[in-house]
Amino acid sequence: MKKLVMGVLAHVDSGKTTLSEGLLYLTGSIKKAGRVDHGNTALDTNEIEKSRGITVFSKQAVLNHGNLQLCLLDTPGHVDFGAEAERTLQVLDCAVLIISSLDGVQNHTVTLWNLLKNYNVPTFIFVNKMDQPGTDETAIMNELVKEFGNGFVKFVDSKPADLEELASCSEDMIEEFFETESIADSKVVDAIDSRKVFPVCFGSALKMEGVDELLNTFEFYTKAKEYP
C-alpha cells in the first residue's frame, strides 16, 4: 500500500475542514460528516474552534482509499495562525490547496502557494463551492495561471481533460504526445511530483461533489516516497 502524508491548506472560509470531513466520510474513517457551522466536525475539536468556526490547531487523521493510505493534516486557514500551518509543510509528501470559486486567489492563498513552492511540495488544487451561482471554471484557471504561472491542468473524472495542454508542461510529455498521441501515467506522476504539473479538480465539498474524483486523482497520480 502506498503511504503518503498530505496537507490540506487554504485561505480561511474556503472549505478546508469541510473537504477534510468529506474525505474522511467517503473513505469510511468517520460514520457521519459533520459541519463547521454546526460545530461537530471530526477535526475541529477545540472549544475555540467550535465556537468561532475556524481551525486553530493542525489535526491529523488517517484514511484509506484503494491502494492508498493518507495521513491527512488539516491546517489552520486564518492568517493569524499561519505559523501553525507552515510547521506542517516540513513533513508533507503532497498537498491540496483549496480555492474558493467565489473568492478566487486571495492574499493568504498566495502566501501558502509560495510556502509550498519553497518546500517543494507537489500540489493538487481543489476549486470548492462550484455549486454556487456565478462560478466560472475558465476564469479560475486563468487566474491561477496569472497569479502562479503555468502547469495548471484541469482533471475530469480523475483524468487530464486536455492531453495537449498537459503535454506542454514538460519536454518528455510533449515528445511522447507527438509520437503516440498519448502520455503514460508514470510520466504524469513524475511531472506532478517535480511540480511541473498541478492537477485542478472542481467540486463542492459541502455537497460531496468532486471529492471522490479528487481521492482517485491522489491514488492514481501520486508517487510513494523513499526515505533513508
Side-chain angles (χ1 to χ4, degrees):
M1 177 175 282
K2 179 169 59 178
K3 298 181 179 181
L4 296 171
V5 179
M6 184 189 73
V8 184
L9 301 99
H11 188 282
V12 67
D13 292 334
S14 294
K16 177 181 48 55
T17 298
T18 303
L19 177 62
S20 298
E21 200 80 1
L23 292 170
L24 293 171
Y25 174 73
L26 290 176
T27 56
S29 297
I30 56 176
K31 293 183 178 180
K32 181 179 179 181
R35 290 182 51 149
V36 174
D37 53 344
H38 294 170
N40 63 348
T41 61
L43 295 176
D44 284 348
T45 54
N46 185 275
E47 288 303 319
I48 297 175
E49 295 174 319
K50 291 180 179 181
S51 63
R52 296 191 179 185
I54 61 173
T55 301
V56 177
F57 305 103
S58 295
K59 303 295 194 320
Q60 173 188 343
V62 177
L63 57 90
N64 295 304
H65 180 72
N67 192 44
L68 174 68
Q69 183 179 86
L70 283 177
C71 177
L72 180 73
L73 297 180
D74 182 28
T75 66
H78 199 286
V79 65
D80 289 349
F81 309 112
E84 177 77 6
E86 184 175 356
R87 274 194 287 271
T88 68
L89 298 179
Q90 302 174 57
V91 301
L92 297 185
D93 297 317
C94 59
V96 55
L97 179 63
I98 303 174
I99 309 291
S100 167
S101 63
L102 302 177
D103 302 310
V105 176
Q106 298 171 276
N107 289 339
H108 192 50
T109 315
V110 176
T111 300
L112 292 170
W113 175 263
N114 289 333
L115 287 169
L116 289 166
K117 181 179 179 180
N118 290 340
Y119 284 94
N120 199 34
V121 180
T123 302
F124 297 74
I125 306 294
F126 185 74
V127 182
N128 195 22
K129 304 184 182 182
M130 289 300 295
D131 57 314
Q132 299 297 314
T135 56
D136 188 333
E137 289 187 5
T138 302
I140 291 291
M141 293 296 293
N142 290 339
E143 186 177 8
L144 288 170
V145 172
K146 178 182 177 182
E147 293 289 340
F148 303 135
N150 297 320
F152 295 94
V153 178
K154 179 182 174 181
F155 276 53
V156 177
D157 295 329
S158 310
K159 295 290 183 182
D162 188 331
L163 282 182
E164 187 171 356
E165 182 181 31
L166 174 67
S168 67
C169 297
S170 82
E171 291 184 6
D172 285 347
M173 290 193 297
I174 203 165
E175 287 179 6
E176 181 175 350
F177 178 73
F178 282 143
E179 291 176 3
T180 66
E181 295 188 356
S182 64
I183 303 173
D185 284 348
S186 59
K187 289 192 176 180
V188 181
V189 170
D190 287 341
I192 294 171
D193 191 61
S194 60
R195 288 182 55 87
K196 293 178 181 177
V197 170
F198 308 99
V200 181
C201 302
F202 292 84
S204 168
L206 185 62
K207 294 189 175 181
M208 303 286 181
E209 296 171 356
V211 181
D212 258 337
E213 288 81 1
L214 182 65
L215 274 168
N216 290 333
T217 305
F218 293 148
E219 182 181 5
F220 299 154
Y221 294 105
T222 50
K223 178 182 288 189
K225 303 296 184 178
E226 294 182 8
Y227 296 104

